[in-house]
Coordinates of all heavy atoms in Angstrom, one line a residue:
K149 N 128.6 147.4 218.9 CA 128.4 147.4 220.3 C 128.5 148.8 220.8 O 129.4 149.5 220.4 CB 129.4 146.4 221.0 CG 129.4 146.6 222.4 CD 130.2 145.5 223.2 CE 131.4 145.0 222.7 NZ 132.1 144.1 223.7
I150 N 127.5 149.2 221.7 CA 127.6 150.5 222.3 C 127.9 150.2 223.8 O 127.2 149.5 224.5 CB 126.2 151.2 222.2 CG1 125.9 151.5 220.8 CG2 126.2 152.5 223.1 CD1 124.5 152.0 220.6
H151 N 129.0 150.8 224.2 CA 129.5 150.5 225.6 C 128.7 151.3 226.6 O 128.3 150.7 227.7 CB 131.0 150.9 225.7 CG 131.8 150.0 224.9 ND1 132.3 148.8 225.4 CD2 132.3 150.2 223.7 CE1 133.0 148.2 224.4 NE2 133.0 149.0 223.4
R152 N 128.3 152.6 226.4 CA 127.6 153.4 227.4 C 126.5 154.1 226.6 O 126.8 155.0 225.8 CB 128.5 154.3 228.1 CG 129.6 153.6 228.9 CD 130.4 154.5 229.7 NE 129.6 154.7 231.0 CZ 129.6 155.7 231.7 NH1 130.4 156.8 231.4 NH2 128.9 155.8 232.8
F153 N 125.2 153.8 226.9 CA 124.1 154.4 226.3 C 123.4 155.3 227.2 O 123.0 154.9 228.3 CB 123.1 153.3 225.8 CG 121.9 153.7 225.1 CD1 122.0 154.2 223.8 CD2 120.7 153.7 225.7 CE1 120.9 154.6 223.1 CE2 119.5 154.1 225.0 CZ 119.6 154.6 223.7
I154 N 123.3 156.6 226.9 CA 122.7 157.6 227.8 C 121.5 158.1 227.1 O 121.5 159.0 226.2 CB 123.7 158.7 228.0 CG1 125.0 158.2 228.6 CG2 123.1 159.7 229.0 CD1 126.1 159.2 228.8
S155 N 120.3 157.6 227.5 CA 119.0 158.0 227.0 C 118.0 157.4 227.8 O 118.1 156.2 228.2 CB 118.8 157.6 225.5 OG 117.5 157.9 225.1
M156 N 116.9 158.1 228.1 CA 115.8 157.6 228.8 C 114.8 156.9 227.9 O 113.9 156.2 228.3 CB 115.1 158.7 229.6 CG 115.9 159.4 230.7 SD 115.0 160.7 231.5 CE 113.8 159.8 232.4
S157 N 114.9 157.1 226.6 CA 114.0 156.6 225.6 C 114.1 155.1 225.4 O 115.1 154.6 224.9 CB 114.2 157.3 224.3 OG 113.3 156.8 223.3
D158 N 113.0 154.4 225.8 CA 112.9 153.0 225.5 C 112.8 152.7 224.0 O 113.2 151.7 223.5 CB 111.8 152.4 226.2 CG 112.0 152.2 227.7 OD1 113.2 152.1 228.1 OD2 111.1 152.3 228.5
M159 N 112.1 153.7 223.3 CA 112.0 153.5 221.8 C 113.4 153.5 221.1 O 113.6 152.7 220.3 CB 111.1 154.6 221.2 CG 109.7 154.5 221.6 SD 108.6 155.9 221.1 CE 108.8 155.7 219.3
K160 N 114.2 154.4 221.6 CA 115.6 154.4 221.0 C 116.3 153.1 221.4 O 117.0 152.5 220.5 CB 116.4 155.6 221.5 CG 115.9 156.9 220.9 CD 116.7 158.1 221.5 CE 116.1 159.4 221.1 NZ 116.7 160.5 221.8
H161 N 116.3 152.8 222.6 CA 116.9 151.6 223.1 C 116.5 150.4 222.4 O 117.3 149.6 221.9 CB 116.7 151.4 224.6 CG 117.2 150.2 225.2 ND1 116.5 149.0 225.2 CD2 118.4 149.8 225.7 CE1 117.2 148.0 225.7 NE2 118.3 148.5 226.1
D162 N 115.1 150.2 222.3 CA 114.6 149.0 221.6 C 114.9 149.0 220.1 O 115.2 147.9 219.6 CB 113.1 148.9 221.9 CG 112.7 148.8 223.3 OD1 113.6 148.4 224.1 OD2 111.5 149.0 223.7
A163 N 114.9 150.1 219.5 CA 115.2 150.2 218.1 C 116.7 149.7 217.8 O 117.0 149.0 216.9 CB 115.0 151.6 217.5
I164 N 117.6 150.2 218.7 CA 119.0 149.9 218.5 C 119.2 148.4 218.8 O 119.8 147.7 218.0 CB 119.9 150.7 219.5 CG1 119.9 152.2 219.0 CG2 121.3 150.2 219.6 CD1 120.4 153.1 220.1
V165 N 118.6 147.9 219.9 CA 118.8 146.5 220.2 C 118.2 145.5 219.2 O 118.7 144.5 218.9 CB 118.2 146.2 221.7 CG1 118.2 144.7 222.0 CG2 119.0 147.0 222.7
S166 N 117.0 145.9 218.6 CA 116.4 145.1 217.6 C 117.2 144.9 216.4 O 116.9 144.0 215.6 CB 115.0 145.7 217.3 OG 115.1 146.8 216.6
T167 N 118.1 145.8 216.1 CA 119.0 145.7 214.9 C 120.2 144.7 215.2 O 120.9 144.5 214.3 CB 119.5 147.0 214.4 OG1 120.4 147.6 215.4 CG2 118.4 148.0 214.1
G168 N 120.3 144.3 216.4 CA 121.4 143.4 216.8 C 122.6 144.1 217.4 O 123.6 143.4 217.7
I169 N 122.4 145.4 217.6 CA 123.5 146.1 218.3 C 123.4 145.9 219.8 O 122.3 146.1 220.4 CB 123.5 147.6 218.0 CG1 123.7 147.8 216.5 CG2 124.5 148.4 218.8 CD1 123.4 149.2 216.0
K170 N 124.4 145.5 220.5 CA 124.4 145.2 221.9 C 124.7 146.5 222.7 O 125.6 147.2 222.3 CB 125.4 144.1 222.3 CG 125.4 143.8 223.7 CD 126.5 142.7 224.1 CE 126.4 142.5 225.6 NZ 127.4 141.5 226.0
I171 N 123.9 146.8 223.7 CA 124.2 147.9 224.6 C 124.7 147.3 225.9 O 124.0 146.5 226.6 CB 122.9 148.7 224.9 CG1 122.5 149.4 223.6 CG2 123.1 149.7 226.0 CD1 121.2 150.2 223.7
V172 N 125.9 147.6 226.2 CA 126.6 147.0 227.4 C 126.1 147.7 228.7 O 125.7 146.9 229.6 CB 128.1 147.2 227.3 CG1 128.8 146.7 228.6 CG2 128.7 146.6 226.1
E173 N 126.0 149.0 228.8 CA 125.6 149.7 230.0 C 124.6 150.8 229.6 O 124.9 151.6 228.7 CB 126.8 150.3 230.7 CG 126.4 151.0 232.0 CD 127.6 151.7 232.6 OE1 128.7 151.7 232.0 OE2 127.4 152.3 233.7
R174 N 123.5 150.8 230.3 CA 122.5 151.9 230.1 C 122.7 152.9 231.3 O 122.5 152.6 232.4 CB 121.1 151.4 230.1 CG 120.1 152.3 229.6 CD 118.9 151.6 229.2 NE 117.9 152.6 228.6 CZ 116.7 152.3 228.3 NH1 116.2 151.1 228.4 NH2 115.9 153.3 227.8
V175 N 123.2 154.1 231.0 CA 123.6 155.1 232.0 C 122.4 155.9 232.4 O 121.7 156.4 231.6 CB 124.8 156.0 231.5 CG1 125.2 157.0 232.5 CG2 125.9 155.1 231.0
E176 N 122.2 156.1 233.7 CA 121.2 156.9 234.2 C 121.6 158.4 234.1 O 122.8 158.7 234.1 CB 121.0 156.7 235.7 CG 120.5 155.3 236.1 CD 120.3 155.2 237.6 OE1 120.1 156.2 238.3 OE2 120.5 154.0 238.0
I177 N 120.6 159.3 234.0 CA 120.8 160.7 234.0 C 120.8 161.1 235.4 O 119.8 161.0 236.1 CB 119.8 161.5 233.2 CG1 119.8 161.0 231.7 CG2 120.0 163.0 233.3 CD1 118.7 161.6 230.8
P178 N 121.9 161.6 236.0 CA 121.9 162.0 237.4 C 121.0 163.2 237.6 O 121.0 164.2 236.9 CB 123.4 162.5 237.6 CG 124.2 162.0 236.4 CD 123.2 161.8 235.3
P179 N 120.2 163.2 238.7 CA 119.3 164.2 239.0 C 119.9 165.6 239.1 O 119.3 166.6 238.7 CB 118.7 163.8 240.4 CG 118.9 162.4 240.5 CD 120.1 162.1 239.7
E180 N 121.1 165.7 239.6 CA 121.8 167.0 239.7 C 122.1 167.6 238.3 O 122.4 168.8 238.2 CB 123.0 166.9 240.6 CG 124.1 166.0 240.1 CD 124.0 164.5 240.5 OE1 123.0 164.2 241.1 OE2 125.0 163.8 240.3
M181 N 122.1 166.8 237.3 CA 122.4 167.3 235.9 C 121.1 167.8 235.2 O 121.2 168.3 234.1 CB 123.0 166.2 235.1 CG 124.3 165.7 235.6 SD 125.6 167.0 235.4 CE 125.8 167.1 233.7
V182 N 119.9 167.6 235.9 CA 118.7 168.0 235.3 C 118.3 169.4 235.8 O 118.1 169.5 237.0 CB 117.5 167.0 235.6 CG1 116.2 167.4 235.0 CG2 117.9 165.6 235.1
P183 N 118.2 170.4 235.0 CA 117.8 171.7 235.4 C 116.4 171.7 236.1 O 115.6 170.9 235.8 CB 117.7 172.6 234.1 CG 118.5 171.8 233.1 CD 118.4 170.4 233.5
K184 N 116.2 172.6 237.1 CA 115.0 172.6 237.8 C 113.7 172.7 236.9 O 112.8 172.0 237.2 CB 114.9 173.9 238.7 CG 115.8 173.7 240.0 CD 115.9 175.0 240.8 CE 114.7 175.8 241.1 NZ 114.9 176.9 241.9
D185 N 113.8 173.4 235.9 CA 112.6 173.6 235.0 C 112.4 172.4 234.1 O 111.4 172.3 233.4 CB 112.6 174.9 234.2 CG 113.8 175.1 233.4 OD1 114.8 174.4 233.6 OD2 113.8 175.9 232.5
A186 N 113.3 171.4 234.1 CA 113.1 170.2 233.3 C 112.6 169.0 234.1 O 112.2 168.0 233.6 CB 114.5 169.8 232.7
H187 N 112.5 169.2 235.5 CA 112.0 168.1 236.3 C 110.6 167.7 236.0 O 110.2 166.6 236.1 CB 112.2 168.5 237.8 CG 113.5 168.2 238.3 ND1 113.9 167.1 238.9 CD2 114.6 169.0 238.3 CE1 115.2 167.1 239.2 NE2 115.7 168.3 238.8
V188 N 109.8 168.7 235.5 CA 108.4 168.4 235.2 C 108.4 167.5 234.0 O 107.6 166.5 234.0 CB 107.6 169.7 234.8 CG1 106.2 169.4 234.3 CG2 107.5 170.6 236.1
E189 N 109.2 167.7 233.0 CA 109.2 166.9 231.8 C 109.8 165.5 232.2 O 109.2 164.5 231.7 CB 110.1 167.5 230.7 CG 110.3 166.7 229.5 CD 111.2 167.3 228.4 OE1 111.7 168.4 228.6 OE2 111.4 166.6 227.4
I190 N 110.8 165.4 232.9 CA 111.4 164.2 233.3 C 110.4 163.3 234.1 O 110.2 162.1 233.9 CB 112.7 164.4 234.2 CG1 113.8 165.1 233.4 CG2 113.2 163.0 234.8 CD1 114.3 164.3 232.2
A191 N 109.7 163.9 235.1 CA 108.7 163.2 235.9 C 107.6 162.7 235.0 O 107.2 161.5 235.2 CB 108.1 164.1 236.9
A192 N 107.2 163.4 234.0 CA 106.1 163.0 233.1 C 106.6 161.8 232.3 O 105.9 160.8 232.0 CB 105.7 164.1 232.2
K193 N 107.9 161.9 231.8 CA 108.4 160.8 231.0 C 108.5 159.5 231.8 O 108.2 158.4 231.3 CB 109.8 161.2 230.4 CG 109.6 162.2 229.3 CD 111.0 162.5 228.7 CE 110.8 163.4 227.4 NZ 112.0 163.6 226.7
V194 N 109.0 159.7 233.0 CA 109.2 158.5 233.9 C 107.8 157.9 234.2 O 107.7 156.6 234.1 CB 109.9 158.9 235.2 CG1 109.9 157.7 236.2 CG2 111.4 159.2 234.9
A195 N 106.8 158.7 234.4 CA 105.5 158.2 234.7 C 104.9 157.5 233.5 O 104.1 156.5 233.6 CB 104.5 159.3 235.1
A196 N 105.3 157.9 232.3 CA 104.8 157.3 231.0 C 105.6 156.0 230.7 O 105.3 155.4 229.7 CB 104.9 158.3 229.9
G197 N 106.6 155.7 231.5 CA 107.3 154.4 231.3 C 108.8 154.6 230.7 O 109.4 153.6 230.4
Y198 N 109.3 155.8 230.6 CA 110.7 155.9 230.2 C 111.6 155.3 231.2 O 111.3 155.3 232.4 CB 111.0 157.4 230.0 CG 110.6 158.0 228.6 CD1 109.3 158.1 228.3 CD2 111.5 158.5 227.8 CE1 108.9 158.6 227.1 CE2 111.2 159.0 226.5 CZ 109.8 159.1 226.2 OH 109.5 159.6 225.0
H199 N 112.8 154.9 230.7 CA 113.8 154.4 231.6 C 114.3 155.4 232.6 O 114.7 156.5 232.1 CB 115.0 153.8 230.8 CG 116.1 153.3 231.6 ND1 116.1 152.1 232.2 CD2 117.3 153.9 231.8 CE1 117.2 151.9 232.9 NE2 118.0 153.0 232.6
S200 N 114.3 155.1 233.9 CA 114.8 156.1 234.8 C 115.9 155.6 235.7 O 116.5 156.4 236.4 CB 113.6 156.6 235.7 OG 113.1 155.5 236.4
G201 N 116.1 154.4 235.7 CA 117.1 153.8 236.6 C 116.7 154.0 238.1 O 115.5 154.2 238.4
E202 N 117.6 154.1 239.0 CA 117.3 154.3 240.4 C 117.0 155.7 240.8 O 116.3 156.0 241.7 CB 118.4 153.7 241.3 CG 118.6 152.2 241.2 CD 117.4 151.4 241.6 OE1 116.9 151.8 242.7 OE2 117.0 150.5 241.0
S203 N 117.6 156.7 240.0 CA 117.5 158.1 240.4 C 116.1 158.6 240.5 O 115.8 159.4 241.3 CB 118.3 158.9 239.4 OG 119.6 158.5 239.3
F204 N 115.3 158.2 239.5 CA 113.9 158.7 239.5 C 112.9 157.6 239.7 O 111.7 157.7 239.4 CB 113.6 159.4 238.1 CG 114.5 160.6 237.9 CD1 115.7 160.4 237.1 CD2 114.2 161.8 238.3 CE1 116.5 161.5 236.9 CE2 114.9 162.9 238.1 CZ 116.1 162.8 237.4
K205 N 113.3 156.6 240.4 CA 112.4 155.4 240.6 C 111.2 155.7 241.4 O 110.1 155.2 241.1 CB 113.2 154.3 241.3 CG 112.6 153.0 241.3 CD 113.5 151.9 241.9 CE 112.9 150.5 241.6 NZ 113.8 149.5 242.0
A206 N 111.3 156.6 242.4 CA 110.1 157.0 243.2 C 109.0 157.5 242.3 O 107.8 157.2 242.5 CB 110.5 158.0 244.3
A207 N 109.3 158.4 241.4 CA 108.3 158.9 240.5 C 107.7 157.9 239.6 O 106.5 158.0 239.2 CB 108.9 160.0 239.6
A208 N 108.4 156.8 239.3 CA 107.9 155.8 238.4 C 107.0 154.8 239.2 O 106.0 154.3 238.6 CB 109.0 155.0 237.8
T209 N 107.2 154.7 240.5 CA 106.4 153.8 241.3 C 105.2 154.4 242.1 O 104.4 153.7 242.5 CB 107.3 153.0 242.3 OG1 107.9 153.9 243.1 CG2 108.3 152.2 241.5
D210 N 105.3 155.8 242.2 CA 104.2 156.5 243.0 C 103.7 157.7 242.2 O 104.2 158.8 242.3 CB 104.8 156.9 244.3 CG 103.7 157.5 245.2 OD1 102.6 157.6 244.8 OD2 104.1 157.9 246.4
P211 N 102.7 157.5 241.4 CA 102.1 158.5 240.5 C 101.7 159.8 241.3 O 101.6 160.9 240.8 CB 100.9 157.9 239.8 CG 101.2 156.4 239.9 CD 102.0 156.2 241.2
S212 N 101.4 159.6 242.6 CA 100.9 160.8 243.4 C 102.1 161.8 243.5 O 101.8 163.0 243.8 CB 100.4 160.4 244.8 OG 101.5 159.9 245.6
L213 N 103.3 161.4 243.3 CA 104.4 162.3 243.4 C 104.4 163.3 242.2 O 105.1 164.4 242.3 CB 105.7 161.6 243.4 CG 106.0 160.7 244.7 CD1 107.3 159.9 244.5 CD2 106.1 161.6 245.9
L214 N 103.7 163.0 241.2 CA 103.6 163.9 240.0 C 103.0 165.3 240.4 O 103.4 166.3 239.9 CB 102.8 163.3 238.9 CG 103.5 162.2 238.1 CD1 102.6 161.6 237.1 CD2 104.8 162.7 237.5
D215 N 102.1 165.3 241.3 CA 101.5 166.5 241.8 C 102.4 167.4 242.5 O 102.2 168.6 242.6 CB 100.3 166.2 242.7 CG 99.1 165.6 241.9 OD1 99.0 165.8 240.7 OD2 98.3 164.9 242.6
K216 N 103.5 166.9 243.0 CA 104.5 167.6 243.8 C 105.6 168.2 243.0 O 106.3 169.1 243.4 CB 105.1 166.8 244.9 CG 104.1 166.3 245.9 CD 104.7 165.4 246.9 CE 103.6 164.9 247.9 NZ 104.0 163.9 248.8
V217 N 105.7 167.8 241.7 CA 106.8 168.3 240.8 C 106.3 169.7 240.3 O 105.3 169.8 239.7 CB 107.0 167.4 239.7 CG1 108.1 167.9 238.7 CG2 107.4 166.0 240.2
K218 N 107.2 170.7 240.5 CA 106.9 172.0 240.1 C 108.0 172.6 239.2 O 109.2 172.3 239.6 CB 106.6 173.0 241.2 CG 105.5 172.5 242.2 CD 104.2 172.7 241.6 CE 103.1 172.2 242.5 NZ 101.9 171.8 241.9
G219 N 107.7 173.3 238.2 CA 108.8 174.0 237.4 C 109.0 175.3 238.0 O 108.4 175.7 239.0
R220 N 109.9 176.1 237.4 CA 110.2 177.4 237.9 C 109.0 178.3 237.5 O 108.3 178.1 236.5 CB 111.5 177.9 237.4 CG 111.5 178.1 235.9 CD 112.9 178.5 235.4 NE 113.1 178.1 234.1 CZ 113.3 179.0 233.1 NH1 113.5 180.3 233.4 NH2 113.5 178.6 231.9
E221 N 108.8 179.3 238.4 CA 107.7 180.3 238.1 C 108.1 181.3 237.1 O 109.3 181.8 237.1 CB 107.3 181.0 239.4 CG 106.2 181.9 239.2 CD 105.7 182.6 240.5 OE1 106.0 182.1 241.6 OE2 105.1 183.7 240.4
Y222 N 107.3 181.6 236.1 CA 107.5 182.6 235.1 C 106.2 183.3 234.8 O 105.3 182.7 234.4 CB 108.1 182.0 233.8 CG 108.5 183.1 232.8 CD1 109.7 183.7 233.0 CD2 107.7 183.4 231.8 CE1 110.1 184.8 232.1 CE2 108.0 184.5 230.9 CZ 109.2 185.1 231.1 OH 109.6 186.1 230.2
T223 N 106.2 184.6 235.1 CA 105.1 185.4 234.8 C 105.6 186.7 234.1 O 106.8 186.9 233.9 CB 104.3 185.9 236.1 OG1 105.2 186.7 236.8 CG2 103.9 184.7 236.9
S224 N 104.7 187.5 233.6 CA 105.0 188.7 232.9 C 105.8 189.7 233.8 O 106.5 190.5 233.3 CB 103.8 189.4 232.3 OG 102.9 189.7 233.3
T225 N 105.6 189.5 235.1 CA 106.3 190.4 236.1 C 107.7 189.8 236.5 O 108.5 190.6 237.1 CB 105.5 190.7 237.3 OG1 105.2 189.4 238.0 CG2 104.2 191.4 236.9
T226 N 108.0 188.6 236.2 CA 109.2 188.0 236.6 C 110.3 188.4 235.5 O 110.0 188.3 234.3 CB 109.2 186.4 236.6 OG1 108.1 186.0 237.4 CG2 110.5 185.8 237.0
E227 N 111.4 188.9 236.0 CA 112.4 189.3 235.0 C 113.0 188.0 234.3 O 113.2 187.0 235.0 CB 113.6 190.0 235.8 CG 113.2 191.3 236.3 CD 114.3 191.9 237.1 OE1 115.5 191.6 236.9 OE2 114.1 192.8 237.9
Y228 N 113.2 188.1 233.0 CA 113.7 187.0 232.2 C 115.0 186.4 232.8 O 115.1 185.2 233.0 CB 113.9 187.4 230.8 CG 114.5 186.3 230.0 CD1 113.8 185.3 229.5 CD2 115.9 186.4 229.6 CE1 114.3 184.3 228.8 CE2 116.5 185.4 228.9 CZ 115.7 184.3 228.4 OH 116.3 183.3 227.7
E229 N 116.0 187.3 233.1 CA 117.3 186.9 233.6 C 117.1 186.1 234.9 O 117.8 185.1 235.1 CB 118.2 188.1 233.8 CG 118.7 188.6 232.5 CD 117.7 189.6 231.8 OE1 116.8 190.0 232.4 OE2 117.9 189.8 230.6
K230 N 116.2 186.6 235.8 CA 116.0 185.9 237.1 C 115.4 184.6 236.9 O 115.8 183.6 237.5 CB 115.1 186.8 238.0 CG 114.8 186.1 239.3 CD 113.9 186.9 240.1 CE 113.6 186.2 241.4 NZ 112.4 186.7 242.1
S231 N 114.5 184.5 236.0 CA 113.8 183.2 235.7 C 114.8 182.2 235.1 O 114.8 181.0 235.5 CB 112.6 183.4 234.7 OG 112.0 182.2 234.4
V232 N 115.6 182.6 234.2 CA 116.6 181.7 233.6 C 117.6 181.2 234.6 O 117.9 180.1 234.7 CB 117.3 182.4 232.4 CG1 118.5 181.6 231.9 CG2 116.4 182.6 231.3
K233 N 118.0 182.2 235.5 CA 119.0 181.8 236.5 C 118.4 180.8 237.5 O 119.0 179.8 237.9 CB 119.4 183.1 237.3 CG 120.5 182.8 238.3 CD 120.9 184.1 239.0 CE 122.0 183.8 240.0 NZ 122.4 185.0 240.8
E234 N 117.1 181.0 237.9 CA 116.5 180.1 238.8 C 116.3 178.7 238.2 O 116.3 177.7 238.9 CB 115.1 180.6 239.3 CG 115.2 181.8 240.2 CD 113.9 182.4 240.6 OE1 112.8 181.9 240.0 OE2 113.8 183.3 241.3
G235 N 116.1 178.7 236.9 CA 115.9 177.4 236.2 C 117.2 176.7 235.8 O 117.2 175.7 235.2
H236 N 118.3 177.4 236.1 CA 119.6 176.9 235.7 C 119.8 176.7 234.2 O 120.5 175.9 233.7 CB 119.9 175.5 236.4 CG 119.9 175.6 237.9 ND1 120.8 176.3 238.6 CD2 119.0 175.1 238.8 CE1 120.5 176.1 239.9 NE2 119.4 175.5 240.0
G237 N 119.1 177.6 233.5 CA 119.2 177.6 232.0 C 120.4 178.4 231.6 O 121.1 179.0 232.3
A238 N 120.6 178.4 230.2 CA 121.7 179.2 229.6 C 121.4 180.7 229.9 O 120.3 181.1 229.8 CB 121.8 178.9 228.2
Q239 N 122.4 181.4 230.1 CA 122.3 182.9 230.3 C 123.0 183.6 229.2 O 123.9 183.1 228.6 CB 122.9 183.3 231.7 CG 122.2 182.6 232.8 CD 122.6 183.2 234.1 OE1 123.1 184.3 234.2 NE2 122.4 182.4 235.2
G240 N 122.5 184.8 228.9 CA 123.1 185.6 227.8 C 122.0 186.1 226.9 O 120.8 185.8 227.2
K241 N 122.3 186.8 225.9 CA 121.3 187.4 225.0 C 121.5 186.7 223.6 O 122.5 186.3 223.2 CB 121.6 188.9 224.9 CG 121.3 189.6 226.2 CD 121.3 191.1 225.9 CE 121.0 191.8 227.2 NZ 120.9 193.2 227.1
A242 N 120.3 186.6 223.0 CA 120.3 186.0 221.7 C 121.0 186.9 220.7 O 120.9 188.2 220.9 CB 118.9 185.7 221.2
Q243 N 121.5 186.4 219.6 CA 122.1 187.3 218.6 C 121.0 188.2 218.1 O 119.9 187.8 217.8 CB 122.7 186.5 217.5 CG 124.0 185.9 217.8 CD 124.6 185.2 216.6 OE1 123.9 184.6 215.8 NE2 125.9 185.4 216.4
G244 N 121.4 189.5 217.9 CA 120.5 190.5 217.4 C 119.5 191.1 218.4 O 118.8 192.0 218.1
A245 N 119.7 190.6 219.7 CA 118.8 191.1 220.7 C 119.4 192.4 221.4 O 120.5 192.6 221.4 CB 118.5 190.1 221.8

């Protein structure tokens, strides 16, 4: 038995349940935990039928909202550090950089 399952993937959920393992609670991913630049991916997954719970329900029921989802801007003139900070990504330098 899995007490708390945290995944948007119905394929993972269905595969686990089909083996006879019970999932007690399917936990939603809170929107505030999703970095700005990941909202595009989340919106696309929800529109494709991934589990979203109540948090992203509007995107699942109104496909016109997909046009309003924007990631962070990144161009050759945007500084890398600024882009990462705006996207709430990891900061720092890669080893060897």
